[in-house]
Amino acid sequence: MINKDEILEALKKVFDPELGRSIVELGMVRDLHISDAGAVTFTLALTIPGCPMKTQMERDARMAVMTLPGITDVKITFGAMTEDEKKAIFAKGKPELPKLNKFNQVQKVIAVLSGKGGVGKSSVTAMLACELARSGKKVGILDADITGPSIPRLFGLPPGGLRGSDQGILPAVTSLGIKVVSINLMIPNEDAAVIWRGPMISGTIQQFWRDVLWGKLDVLLVDLPPGTSDAALTVMQTIPVNGVVLVSTPQELAGMVVRKADSMLKQLKMPVMAAVENMSYFVCPDCGKQHEIYGPSHIDALAKSVETDVTVRLPIDPDLAGLADTGKIETYSSVEISELIKKVGM
Ligand SMILES: Nc1ncnc2c1ncn2[C@@H]1O[C@H](COP(=O)(O)OP(=O)(O)OP(=O)(O)O)[C@@H](O)[C@H]1O
Ligand SMILES: [Mg+2]
């Protein structure tokens, strides 16, 4: 039978998204009780009664407890903290981000973000890594897309390729010397769907950051989960990201995407280093003319809205898609991406 300590241990992985600290550490979990039949009840004492993150925390807490063996039911009631308790919490300020493995020295962490899925985020992450590596930089890629990881496939890295050592997890290394960590390198086959919820994703990302022997890196690129939802937000709050490269395509409803990405970035006070419009045009192999297949470019409006000076338009390139599909992305060179790196000074 599961005991209270084990339940609290599981609940430690649930974070108050606003405060960035565990609900257990914050003293929010109260009156914890387990019945003989395995039904768990507890109170979540909130700092603000109408906390907008209430449902998310409840959902995450329920999931964390439900996954324990022998638990049949979870009932959560909401309570409120006293003024003094609140003061004590807010006096502590923002949490310290998890410390990096002492053998690691990472100069810059850059996350690649998009308004929606399938716009070429992973491809852009991989191209950035390749061009940086070719220019002599030490590069790592942290594949933070836990439920749809695609970085290993682009580089032709086989599943199960990560190894452990006393000092930490050893990343897989590509031909160009890019260090890669992804959930797909840990599971036995690529198709094993990972259906995890917020707290577990956050725990895994923390491990990828803290427990991996990245060594000395000039740049660590983080391939974020698609969109500006919880998952992407969780990652950005788990890793000390220095800046963001925003990827979009012309067919995205510019207004909506901009608003969502914008509000997330402003919420996080995150600078946008560059805006990339992928699949922006196609160069006809016969006549050499540029065609805007997905409609006119929105890159200038996007750049203005997210306050960046660096913009790049990438063509639709069947060669890129082919090489990406066959795990040979390292043989692809992008002049546009090289220019972006120079402009940003990565
Ligand atoms: N410029 C391009 N020209 C041609 N094909 C491209 C281009 N960019 C991306 N693709 C192709 O589009 C598909 C989606 O790209 P990718 O996986 O990089 O997107 P993503 O934003 O990471 O997707 P997800 O949201 O699923 O993580 C891939 O098959 C990729 O090869
Ligand atoms: Mg992707």
XYZ file of all heavy atoms in Angstrom, residues 129-232:
767
model
N 22.081 24.077 -36.074
C 23.135 23.282 -35.427
C 24.227 22.941 -36.438
O 25.422 23.082 -36.144
C 22.538 22.014 -34.838
N 23.821 22.522 -37.647
C 24.798 22.120 -38.661
C 25.680 23.297 -39.070
O 26.903 23.168 -39.141
C 24.094 21.572 -39.901
S 23.244 20.019 -39.592
N 25.053 24.451 -39.331
C 25.853 25.604 -39.776
C 26.760 26.099 -38.649
O 27.890 26.515 -38.900
C 24.954 26.737 -40.287
C 24.117 26.397 -41.522
C 24.909 25.835 -42.711
O 26.134 26.039 -42.782
O 24.290 25.154 -43.552
N 26.271 26.056 -37.424
C 27.113 26.444 -36.284
C 28.291 25.487 -36.150
O 29.441 25.913 -35.970
C 26.294 26.443 -34.986
C 25.402 27.652 -34.745
C 24.382 27.362 -33.649
C 26.230 28.883 -34.362
N 28.023 24.205 -36.266
C 29.092 23.204 -36.142
C 30.120 23.387 -37.254
O 31.325 23.334 -37.017
C 28.501 21.801 -36.184
N 29.633 23.653 -38.473
C 30.557 23.856 -39.604
C 31.425 25.090 -39.403
O 32.538 25.158 -39.901
C 29.782 23.961 -40.915
C 29.581 22.603 -41.569
C 29.122 22.748 -43.003
N 27.681 22.928 -43.073
C 26.814 21.930 -43.162
N 27.239 20.692 -43.224
N 25.526 22.145 -43.210
N 30.878 26.089 -38.671
C 31.686 27.294 -38.456
C 32.591 27.137 -37.224
O 33.194 28.087 -36.759
C 30.776 28.520 -38.308
O 30.139 28.486 -37.046
N 32.681 25.920 -36.717
C 33.632 25.640 -35.646
C 33.082 25.763 -34.234
O 33.825 25.644 -33.261
N 31.788 25.992 -34.122
C 31.205 26.136 -32.784
C 30.879 24.757 -32.187
O 30.575 23.816 -32.919
C 29.905 26.963 -32.869
C 30.162 28.425 -33.223
C 30.462 29.191 -31.993
C 31.070 30.535 -32.129
N 30.647 31.569 -32.901
N 30.934 24.710 -30.869
C 30.507 23.480 -30.168
C 29.008 23.596 -29.894
O 28.559 24.535 -29.230
C 31.256 23.333 -28.852
C 32.723 23.062 -29.056
C 33.346 22.574 -27.753
C 34.797 22.202 -27.930
N 35.637 23.357 -28.305
N 28.260 22.660 -30.438
C 26.805 22.772 -30.424
C 26.129 21.550 -29.820
O 26.585 20.420 -30.013
C 26.251 22.913 -31.870
C 24.825 23.424 -31.846
C 27.112 23.797 -32.714
N 25.041 21.785 -29.120
C 24.203 20.697 -28.641
C 22.762 20.962 -29.035
O 22.366 22.107 -29.250
N 21.977 19.890 -29.169
C 20.536 20.054 -29.380
C 19.803 19.290 -28.281
O 20.014 18.102 -28.092
C 20.052 19.500 -30.740
C 20.805 20.146 -31.896
C 18.547 19.715 -30.898
C 20.352 19.641 -33.268
N 18.978 20.018 -27.557
C 18.107 19.389 -26.559
C 16.717 19.304 -27.188
O 16.082 20.320 -27.453
C 18.106 20.241 -25.275
C 17.457 19.653 -24.026
C 17.979 20.382 -22.790
C 15.961 19.668 -24.051
N 16.303 18.091 -27.495
C 14.994 17.898 -28.124
C 13.939 17.914 -27.024
O 13.744 16.931 -26.314
C 14.998 16.553 -28.869
C 13.739 16.331 -29.679
O 12.807 17.158 -29.571
O 13.680 15.335 -30.421
N 13.302 19.064 -26.880
C 12.338 19.233 -25.789
C 10.929 18.839 -26.212
O 9.978 19.004 -25.468
C 12.356 20.678 -25.299
N 10.816 18.318 -27.422
C 9.513 17.843 -27.895
C 9.363 16.387 -27.451
O 9.724 15.467 -28.168
C 9.450 17.978 -29.422
C 8.034 17.834 -29.941
O 7.155 17.432 -29.145
O 7.802 18.110 -31.125
N 8.847 16.213 -26.249
C 8.817 14.880 -25.643
C 7.780 13.977 -26.312
O 7.994 12.787 -26.470
C 8.496 14.999 -24.122
C 9.570 15.831 -23.415
C 8.344 13.642 -23.474
C 10.920 15.182 -23.352
N 6.669 14.565 -26.732
C 5.627 13.721 -27.310
C 5.743 13.563 -28.828
O 5.111 12.691 -29.403
C 4.226 14.259 -26.955
O 4.199 15.641 -27.262
C 3.926 14.079 -25.489
N 6.563 14.384 -29.471
C 6.762 14.225 -30.921
C 8.190 14.518 -31.325
O 8.449 15.385 -32.144
N 9.147 13.792 -30.731
C 10.558 14.112 -30.990
C 10.971 13.753 -32.407
O 10.618 12.695 -32.904
C 11.307 13.215 -29.993
C 10.374 12.087 -29.713
C 8.980 12.581 -29.918
N 11.673 14.653 -33.101
C 12.063 14.294 -34.470
C 13.524 14.574 -34.769
O 13.996 14.272 -35.860
C 11.162 15.018 -35.473
O 11.182 16.397 -35.228
N 14.255 15.141 -33.807
C 15.666 15.457 -34.072
C 16.512 14.211 -34.415
O 17.241 14.225 -35.406
C 16.273 16.241 -32.877
C 15.620 17.623 -32.756
C 17.773 16.367 -32.996
C 15.925 18.585 -33.900
N 16.410 13.107 -33.655
C 17.248 11.948 -33.987
C 17.037 11.461 -35.419
O 17.994 11.106 -36.112
C 16.798 10.885 -32.978
C 16.293 11.661 -31.824
C 15.636 12.874 -32.435
N 15.777 11.481 -35.865
C 15.480 11.011 -37.218
C 16.192 11.860 -38.275
O 16.731 11.358 -39.253
C 13.961 11.033 -37.447
C 13.532 10.393 -38.749
C 12.002 10.308 -38.848
N 11.311 11.498 -38.355
C 11.121 12.605 -39.069
N 11.545 12.679 -40.305
N 10.495 13.633 -38.536
N 16.204 13.187 -38.065
C 16.845 14.082 -39.032
C 18.329 13.775 -39.186
O 18.906 13.929 -40.246
C 16.677 15.547 -38.603
C 15.256 16.092 -38.530
C 15.250 17.509 -38.000
C 14.619 16.050 -39.902
N 18.954 13.351 -38.079
C 20.390 13.086 -38.096
C 20.704 11.595 -38.280
O 21.858 11.202 -38.228
C 21.031 13.587 -36.796
C 21.108 15.079 -36.710
C 20.084 15.807 -36.123
C 22.198 15.763 -37.241
C 20.144 17.187 -36.040
C 22.268 17.143 -37.161
C 21.241 17.863 -36.562
N 19.660 10.784 -38.445
C 19.864 9.348 -38.619
C 20.419 8.674 -37.376
O 21.162 7.694 -37.477
N 20.089 9.207 -36.199
C 20.574 8.596 -34.953
C 19.613 7.489 -34.521
O 18.408 7.707 -34.468
C 20.676 9.648 -33.842
C 21.697 10.765 -34.050
C 21.478 11.877 -33.026
C 23.121 10.230 -33.967
N 20.136 6.296 -34.236
C 19.251 5.177 -33.906
C 18.633 5.302 -32.521
O 19.224 5.909 -31.631
C 20.200 3.970 -33.942
C 21.551 4.532 -33.662
C 21.552 5.941 -34.195
N 17.426 4.737 -32.322
C 16.795 4.759 -30.997
C 17.673 4.019 -29.986
O 18.444 3.146 -30.354
C 15.486 3.993 -31.201
C 15.296 3.882 -32.674
C 16.622 4.017 -33.318
N 17.549 4.412 -28.733
C 18.304 3.739 -27.678
C 19.782 4.097 -27.666
O 20.605 3.379 -27.102
N 20.150 5.207 -28.300
C 21.562 5.552 -28.452
C 22.211 6.284 -27.280
O 23.393 6.586 -27.329
N 21.445 6.564 -26.226
C 22.051 7.294 -25.101
C 22.694 6.319 -24.112
O 22.169 5.252 -23.867
C 20.994 8.114 -24.355
C 20.428 9.340 -25.044
C 19.614 10.141 -24.046
C 21.528 10.203 -25.623
N 23.818 6.751 -23.552
C 24.448 5.909 -22.537
C 24.615 6.701 -21.248
O 24.635 7.929 -21.263
C 25.800 5.424 -23.038
C 25.645 4.271 -24.044
C 26.968 3.864 -24.646
N 27.587 5.001 -25.338
C 28.787 5.475 -25.063
N 29.502 4.957 -24.102
N 29.273 6.484 -25.752
N 24.736 5.984 -20.169
C 24.926 6.654 -18.886
C 26.371 6.551 -18.428
O 27.117 5.708 -18.904
N 26.784 7.442 -17.554
C 28.093 7.323 -16.920
C 27.923 7.814 -15.490
O 26.865 8.323 -15.131
C 29.124 8.172 -17.659
O 28.973 9.529 -17.280
N 28.970 7.699 -14.678
C 28.866 8.160 -13.292
C 28.582 9.651 -13.225
O 27.974 10.140 -12.291
C 30.161 7.851 -12.533
C 30.296 6.361 -12.292
O 29.270 5.653 -12.448
O 31.412 5.911 -11.977
N 29.061 10.384 -14.215
C 28.893 11.842 -14.184
C 27.577 12.319 -14.783
O 27.219 13.473 -14.637
C 30.045 12.533 -14.925
C 31.315 12.668 -14.117
C 32.134 11.401 -14.189
O 32.184 10.757 -15.224
N 32.743 11.030 -13.079
N 26.886 11.461 -15.489
C 25.620 11.886 -16.082
C 25.321 11.135 -17.365
O 26.047 10.220 -17.758
N 24.246 11.571 -18.025
C 23.844 10.933 -19.285
C 24.751 11.440 -20.402
O 25.009 12.641 -20.502
C 22.372 11.299 -19.625
C 21.451 10.885 -18.483
C 21.940 10.689 -20.939
C 20.058 11.501 -18.548
N 25.242 10.525 -21.234
C 26.097 10.944 -22.351
C 25.244 11.157 -23.586
O 24.516 10.263 -23.998
C 27.153 9.871 -22.642
C 28.109 9.545 -21.495
C 28.932 8.313 -21.821
C 29.020 10.737 -21.224
N 25.320 12.349 -24.212
C 24.503 12.593 -25.405
C 24.988 11.749 -26.584
O 26.130 11.297 -26.587
C 24.731 14.078 -25.706
C 25.721 14.583 -24.740
C 26.168 13.477 -23.853
N 24.117 11.569 -27.566
C 24.554 10.959 -28.825
C 25.313 12.035 -29.595
O 25.054 13.222 -29.405
C 23.349 10.493 -29.618
N 26.251 11.648 -30.442
C 27.039 12.628 -31.182
C 26.910 12.360 -32.682
O 27.032 11.226 -33.131
C 28.529 12.589 -30.762
C 29.321 13.664 -31.484
C 28.669 12.754 -29.254
N 26.619 13.414 -33.453
C 26.432 13.259 -34.900
C 27.780 13.343 -35.621
O 28.803 13.640 -35.001
C 25.528 14.372 -35.454
O 26.286 15.596 -35.437
C 24.275 14.565 -34.615
N 27.757 13.149 -36.933
C 28.996 13.193 -37.724
C 29.707 14.531 -37.584
O 30.925 14.601 -37.557
C 28.704 12.975 -39.206
O 27.802 11.930 -39.378
N 28.930 15.617 -37.510
C 29.549 16.939 -37.381
C 29.936 17.256 -35.936
O 30.397 18.346 -35.632
C 28.594 18.028 -37.887
C 28.432 18.197 -39.401
C 27.307 19.177 -39.704
C 29.731 18.692 -40.029
N 29.708 16.311 -35.025
C 30.075 16.527 -33.625
C 29.001 17.229 -32.802
O 29.270 17.737 -31.721
N 27.767 17.254 -33.316
C 26.666 17.884 -32.578
C 26.168 16.894 -31.519
O 25.917 15.731 -31.823
C 25.510 18.252 -33.538
C 26.009 19.219 -34.618
C 24.326 18.831 -32.776
C 25.092 19.322 -35.825
N 26.060 17.383 -30.282
C 25.591 16.513 -29.206
C 24.058 16.583 -29.131
O 23.499 17.673 -29.092
C 26.182 16.956 -27.878
C 27.682 16.730 -27.827
C 28.265 17.197 -26.536
C 29.757 16.911 -26.515
N 30.417 17.552 -25.383
N 23.424 15.419 -29.125
C 21.959 15.388 -29.181
C 21.375 14.577 -28.017
O 21.849 13.480 -27.732
C 21.478 14.753 -30.513
C 19.957 14.642 -30.548
C 21.974 15.552 -31.704
N 20.377 15.157 -27.382
C 19.618 14.399 -26.381
C 18.133 14.503 -26.714
O 17.618 15.590 -26.966
C 19.882 14.912 -24.953
C 18.900 14.312 -23.971
C 21.300 14.543 -24.535
N 17.481 13.354 -26.759
C 16.067 13.304 -27.123
C 15.449 12.078 -26.469
O 16.137 11.074 -26.254
C 15.955 13.183 -28.645
O 14.649 12.789 -29.012
N 14.175 12.151 -26.170
C 13.493 11.003 -25.570
C 13.544 9.813 -26.528
O 13.592 8.666 -26.104
C 12.027 11.362 -25.173
C 11.439 10.331 -24.227
C 11.140 11.565 -26.374
C 11.887 10.426 -22.820
N 13.583 10.086 -27.822
C 13.634 9.011 -28.814
C 14.935 8.231 -28.779
O 15.026 7.143 -29.323
C 13.445 9.585 -30.221
C 12.097 9.209 -30.784
O 11.261 8.690 -30.046
N 11.877 9.449 -32.052
N 15.959 8.815 -28.144
C 17.221 8.085 -28.023
C 17.200 7.187 -26.787
O 18.105 6.418 -26.552
C 18.391 9.065 -27.934
C 18.610 9.939 -29.170
C 19.601 11.036 -28.886
C 19.089 9.076 -30.337
N 16.136 7.323 -25.996
C 16.055 6.545 -24.760
C 15.087 5.387 -24.872
O 15.167 4.441 -24.118
C 15.593 7.447 -23.616
C 16.577 8.542 -23.321
S 15.934 9.593 -22.036
C 17.417 9.798 -21.075
N 14.118 5.500 -25.774
C 13.120 4.440 -25.875
C 13.536 3.455 -26.972
O 14.256 3.829 -27.895
C 11.698 5.004 -26.137
C 11.693 5.910 -27.367
C 11.181 5.729 -24.917
C 10.335 6.478 -27.686
N 13.114 2.180 -26.849
C 13.625 1.137 -27.737
C 13.244 1.306 -29.203
O 13.995 0.939 -30.085
C 13.023 -0.150 -27.176
C 11.897 0.287 -26.291
C 12.243 1.638 -25.796
N 12.062 1.846 -29.487
C 11.773 2.102 -30.897
C 11.045 3.424 -31.068
O 10.349 3.891 -30.171
C 11.008 0.939 -31.541
C 9.571 0.887 -31.088
O 8.765 1.738 -31.468
N 9.246 -0.076 -30.253
N 11.265 3.997 -32.255
C 10.812 5.357 -32.542
C 9.305 5.540 -32.406
O 8.819 6.639 -32.170
C 11.193 5.690 -33.983
C 12.176 6.821 -34.102
C 12.338 7.215 -35.548
O 11.397 7.781 -36.110
O 13.412 6.939 -36.115
N 8.555 4.447 -32.603
C 7.100 4.599 -32.668
C 6.413 4.477 -31.315
O 5.205 4.659 -31.222
C 6.509 3.571 -33.637
C 7.132 3.712 -35.013
O 7.367 4.871 -35.409
O 7.390 2.690 -35.670
N 7.184 4.132 -30.273
C 6.585 4.045 -28.937
C 6.087 5.435 -28.548
O 6.855 6.326 -28.253
C 7.616 3.542 -27.936
N 4.776 5.608 -28.606
C 4.213 6.935 -28.353
C 4.420 7.312 -26.892
O 4.226 6.511 -25.994
C 2.730 6.919 -28.671
N 4.834 8.520 -26.679
C 5.017 8.973 -25.309
C 3.821 9.849 -24.949
O 3.630 10.914 -25.508
C 6.336 9.762 -25.173
C 6.493 10.268 -23.755
C 7.501 8.876 -25.545
N 2.988 9.325 -24.057
C 1.794 10.090 -23.686
C 1.934 10.535 -22.244
O 1.351 9.955 -21.341
C 0.494 9.272 -23.894
C 0.749 7.796 -23.561
C -0.029 9.421 -25.298
C -0.499 6.977 -23.449
N 2.740 11.547 -22.039
C 2.977 12.042 -20.706
C 2.284 13.374 -20.521
O 1.979 14.072 -21.462
C 4.473 12.247 -20.466
C 5.225 10.980 -20.380
C 4.719 9.710 -20.344
C 6.643 10.859 -20.338
N 5.747 8.816 -20.279
C 6.923 9.483 -20.263
C 7.694 11.776 -20.340
C 8.227 9.011 -20.196
C 8.980 11.308 -20.280
C 9.239 9.932 -20.202
N 2.073 13.693 -19.265
C 1.448 14.963 -18.951
C 2.472 15.948 -18.416
O 3.620 15.606 -18.179
C 0.328 14.743 -17.929
C -0.781 13.855 -18.439
C -1.404 14.399 -19.711
N -2.044 15.676 -19.482
C -3.331 15.817 -19.234
N -4.114 14.775 -19.203
N -3.839 17.006 -19.028
N 2.001 17.161 -18.222
C 2.845 18.283 -17.807
C 3.969 17.983 -16.829
O 5.141 18.201 -17.149
N 3.644 17.467 -15.633
C 4.700 17.324 -14.627
C 5.808 16.380 -15.055
O 6.976 16.614 -14.752
C 3.964 16.753 -13.410
C 2.564 16.534 -13.786
C 2.322 17.092 -15.134
N 5.450 15.310 -15.771
C 6.483 14.366 -16.175
C 7.341 14.966 -17.271
O 8.549 14.762 -17.323
C 5.835 13.072 -16.661
C 5.338 12.247 -15.504
S 4.177 11.059 -16.070
C 5.228 9.662 -16.365
N 6.715 15.732 -18.152
C 7.469 16.383 -19.211
C 8.471 17.340 -18.585
O 9.659 17.319 -18.895
C 6.519 17.124 -20.178
C 5.695 16.088 -20.951
C 7.291 18.031 -21.122
C 4.730 16.639 -21.950
N 7.986 18.111 -17.636
C 8.851 19.080 -16.988
C 10.027 18.393 -16.283
O 11.163 18.846 -16.356
C 8.008 19.914 -16.029
O 8.782 20.444 -15.023
N 9.757 17.250 -15.642
C 10.813 16.501 -14.967
C 11.856 15.994 -15.944
O 13.063 16.065 -15.690
N 11.391 15.503 -17.092
C 12.309 14.970 -18.092
C 13.177 16.084 -18.675
O 14.380 15.915 -18.851
C 11.505 14.289 -19.229
O 10.626 13.349 -18.636
C 12.413 13.600 -20.209
N 12.553 17.219 -18.964
C 13.310 18.334 -19.523
C 14.387 18.789 -18.531
O 15.527 19.061 -18.902
C 12.368 19.521 -19.831
C 11.285 19.123 -20.819
C 13.146 20.729 -20.339
C 11.767 18.763 -22.183
N 14.003 18.833 -17.263
C 14.978 19.219 -16.241
C 16.160 18.273 -16.244
O 17.304 18.686 -16.112
C 14.309 19.167 -14.870
C 13.880 20.517 -14.388
C 13.269 20.408 -13.010
O 13.794 19.750 -12.131
N 12.144 21.044 -12.840
N 15.849 16.980 -16.411
C 16.932 15.987 -16.459
C 17.803 16.179 -17.676
O 19.022 16.068 -17.597
C 16.305 14.605 -16.524
C 16.467 13.845 -15.236
C 16.297 12.372 -15.504
O 15.403 11.969 -16.255
N 17.135 11.574 -14.892
N 17.180 16.477 -18.803
C 17.945 16.702 -20.027
C 18.894 17.877 -19.850
O 19.957 17.942 -20.425
C 17.004 17.000 -21.206
C 16.344 15.785 -21.785
C 15.471 15.914 -22.855
C 16.600 14.520 -21.280
C 14.859 14.804 -23.413
C 15.987 13.406 -21.827
C 15.113 13.556 -22.893
N 18.472 18.836 -19.083
C 19.285 20.021 -18.868
C 20.360 19.752 -17.819
O 21.522 20.053 -17.999
C 18.375 21.181 -18.440
C 19.079 22.363 -17.881
C 19.026 22.828 -16.605
C 19.964 23.256 -18.570
N 19.805 23.927 -16.466
C 20.392 24.216 -17.644
C 20.441 23.323 -19.884
C 21.272 25.239 -17.989
C 21.319 24.337 -20.223
C 21.717 25.281 -19.289
N 19.960 19.148 -16.724
C 20.821 19.069 -15.547
C 21.683 17.815 -15.516
O 22.826 17.852 -15.106
C 19.902 19.086 -14.330
C 20.515 19.466 -13.025
C 19.467 19.310 -11.957
N 18.694 18.086 -12.199
C 17.474 17.885 -11.758
N 16.847 18.798 -11.065
N 16.843 16.744 -11.997
N 21.135 16.693 -15.945
C 21.832 15.420 -15.751
C 22.574 14.924 -16.986
O 23.107 13.824 -16.992
C 20.841 14.327 -15.306
C 20.162 14.697 -13.992
O 20.707 15.548 -13.271
O 19.092 14.140 -13.700
N 22.569 15.735 -18.041
C 23.284 15.326 -19.251
C 24.678 15.938 -19.225
O 24.856 17.087 -18.827
C 22.516 15.780 -20.519
C 23.382 15.650 -21.763
C 21.232 14.972 -20.677
N 25.659 15.151 -19.617
C 27.032 15.676 -19.693
C 27.215 16.401 -21.018
O 27.742 15.845 -21.976
C 28.021 14.506 -19.641
C 28.642 14.161 -18.309
C 29.705 13.100 -18.498
C 29.258 15.389 -17.656
N 26.772 17.648 -21.049
C 26.898 18.429 -22.283
C 28.351 18.862 -22.495
O 28.779 19.101 -23.618
C 26.008 19.672 -22.218
C 24.533 19.388 -22.258
C 23.646 19.480 -21.216
C 23.766 18.973 -23.391
N 22.393 19.148 -21.645
C 22.433 18.827 -22.968
C 24.080 18.701 -24.725
C 21.414 18.438 -23.839
C 23.062 18.309 -25.582
C 21.753 18.173 -25.140
N 29.104 19.004 -21.418
C 30.483 19.490 -21.529
C 30.492 20.970 -21.856
O 29.593 21.708 -21.438
N 31.508 21.403 -22.636
C 31.580 22.825 -22.999
C 30.843 23.054 -24.307
O 31.178 22.456 -25.328
C 33.044 23.235 -23.190
C 33.724 23.534 -21.887
C 35.050 24.221 -22.103
C 35.672 24.452 -20.750
N 37.108 24.425 -20.741
N 29.834 23.910 -24.268
C 29.088 24.203 -25.492
C 29.068 25.711 -25.727
O 28.940 26.488 -24.783
C 27.633 23.733 -25.374
C 27.300 22.248 -25.361
C 25.788 22.069 -25.320
C 27.884 21.544 -26.572
N 29.208 26.106 -26.997
C 28.998 27.520 -27.324
C 27.509 27.808 -27.367
O 27.057 28.834 -26.882
C 29.630 27.848 -28.680
C 31.140 27.689 -28.633
O 31.759 28.355 -27.784
O 31.696 26.893 -29.405
N 26.782 26.901 -28.000
C 25.328 27.098 -28.125
C 24.586 25.786 -27.855
O 24.952 24.739 -28.399
C 24.947 27.582 -29.552
C 23.453 27.833 -29.645
C 25.722 28.821 -29.942
N 23.568 25.859 -27.023
C 22.644 24.730 -26.877
C 21.319 25.158 -27.494
O 20.703 26.140 -27.070
C 22.445 24.359 -25.403
C 21.450 23.219 -25.160
C 21.978 21.898 -25.714
C 21.151 23.056 -23.673
N 20.908 24.433 -28.545
C 19.636 24.742 -29.198
C 18.548 23.859 -28.596
O 18.762 22.674 -28.368
C 19.741 24.465 -30.692
C 20.751 25.335 -31.455
C 21.084 24.715 -32.799
C 20.213 26.748 -31.636
N 17.409 24.460 -28.342
C 16.299 23.698 -27.755
C 15.157 23.649 -28.762
O 14.604 24.685 -29.138
C 15.815 24.354 -26.446
C 14.668 23.548 -25.843
C 16.961 24.468 -25.445
N 14.839 22.450 -29.233
C 13.709 22.290 -30.155
C 12.450 22.140 -29.312
O 12.249 21.135 -28.641
C 13.930 21.042 -31.026
C 12.870 20.894 -32.106
O 12.147 21.878 -32.378
O 12.748 19.790 -32.680
N 11.625 23.159 -29.331
C 10.444 23.183 -28.455
C 9.296 22.363 -29.034
O 9.222 22.151 -30.235
C 9.964 24.622 -28.272
C 10.835 25.527 -27.404
C 10.295 26.942 -27.440
C 10.889 25.030 -25.969
N 8.379 21.939 -28.164
C 7.160 21.322 -28.676
C 6.388 22.352 -29.497
O 6.535 23.553 -29.269
C 6.376 20.957 -27.418
C 7.246 21.246 -26.267
C 8.372 22.085 -26.709
N 5.550 21.890 -30.444
C 4.870 22.840 -31.315
C 3.925 23.781 -30.575
O 3.324 23.397 -29.572
C 4.091 21.953 -32.279
C 4.085 20.598 -31.687
C 5.263 20.504 -30.789
N 3.822 24.972 -31.089
C 2.812 25.899 -30.585
C 3.230 26.612 -29.323
O 4.343 26.470 -28.828
N 2.291 27.396 -28.834
C 2.592 28.243 -27.678
C 1.779 27.782 -26.467
O 1.393 28.566 -25.627
C 2.259 29.704 -28.013
O 1.015 29.721 -28.702
C 3.297 30.334 -28.873
N 1.515 26.487 -26.429
C 0.682 25.939 -25.351
C 1.510 25.661 -24.103
O 2.669 26.010 -24.006
C 0.063 24.646 -25.844
O 1.126 23.774 -26.171
N 0.879 24.963 -23.169
C 1.511 24.586 -21.901
C 2.892 23.960 -22.058
O 3.814 24.322 -21.347
C 0.650 23.522 -21.194
C -0.518 24.149 -20.496
O -0.655 25.375 -20.621
O -1.285 23.412 -19.857
N 2.978 23.005 -22.986
C 4.213 22.234 -23.104
C 5.405 23.144 -23.407
O 6.446 23.046 -22.762
C 4.069 21.169 -24.178
N 5.209 24.055 -24.358
C 6.296 24.963 -24.720
C 6.628 25.887 -23.541
O 7.798 26.141 -23.231
C 5.917 25.777 -25.950
